[in-house]
Amino acid sequence: FNYIIKIADFYFKESAKDMKQRIINEAKIENTNIIKLSNTEFRVFIGPFKDLNSLKKSFNAISLLEFDNLEVIRE
């Protein structure tokens, strides 16, 4: 299985891009991505991860930014 860390869903692509850049700049996590869920919904996530150790490392790094609703999703 692959896992992702869902950061947030946004209505505007620009907001999603801003969040992605913040994660890259502040948490130094390069595998941050955006997917288009619909015409008005964009998801920012980190991953995918194939093992729990790399997921844990990124989860700990992102926790420094103090996001409220991080979610780990199995794909």
Side-chain angles (χ1 to χ4, degrees), residues 3-25:
Y3 297 89
I4 63 168
I5 301 172
K6 175 186 157 189
I7 304 300
D9 292 338
F10 294 93
Y11 288 109
F12 301 105
K13 189 171 186 176
E14 280 304 312
S15 299
K17 286 181 179 180
D18 291 343
M19 179 57 69
K20 177 182 176 178
Q21 198 58 49
R22 178 177 176 214
I23 293 167
I24 292 170
N25 292 341

Side-chain angles (χ1 to χ4, degrees), residues 54-69:
S54 58
L55 178 127
K56 182 180 175 183
K57 183 179 175 184
S58 290
F59 193 88
N60 288 338
I62 200 70
S63 67
L64 299 174
L65 298 179
E66 299 181 1
F67 293 125
D68 289 336
N69 297 317

Side-chain angles (χ1 to χ4, degrees), residues 32-45:
T32 305
N33 299 290
I34 300 171
I35 57 171
K36 183 177 181 178
L37 300 174
S38 70
N39 286 336
T40 59
E41 194 171 14
F42 301 88
R43 176 168 292 164
V44 177
F45 67 95

